[in-house]
Amino acid sequence: STDRSPLTNADLGIARICLATDNLTEAYDRLVAQDVSFLSPPQQTQDGKADIAICADPDGALIELIQIYLDKW
């Protein structure tokens, strides 16, 4: 249910996981086409070193998809 409060670090199990991809836009579009709901669409980080998008699994654990630009590190 989406009526639950977001998980925190005090909760048991996984509260958040980050998965890297080489093409965030493609991964985002593919998941949206499969009815995955996102909390945020792909966005560039403030420092411009990565793009991220966040969704949640059925238990409410946050899943951050990230595309890192190593040439900007």
Side-chain angles (χ1 to χ4, degrees):
S1 167
T2 58
D3 296 336
R4 286 188 251 175
S5 297
L7 297 173
T8 68
N9 290 339
D11 290 307
L12 296 178
I14 295 174
R16 182 181 188 117
I17 187 169
C18 183
L19 304 172
T21 179
D22 291 332
N23 190 328
L24 179 59
T25 301
E26 182 180 290
Y28 173 82
D29 290 344
R30 186 174 61 248
L31 291 167
V32 167
Q34 296 175 17
D35 294 325
V36 173
S37 296
F38 277 78
L39 283 71
S40 69
Q43 306 177 49
Q44 189 173 72
T45 58
Q46 288 183 336
D47 59 11
K49 294 180 179 179
D51 291 340
I52 62 168
I54 301 173
C55 61
D57 74 6
D59 293 322
L62 296 178
I63 301 170
E64 179 179 318
L65 302 178
I66 188 167
Q67 180 176 350
I68 298 171
Y69 302 108
L70 293 177
D71 60 322
K72 296 182 180 181
W73 282 78

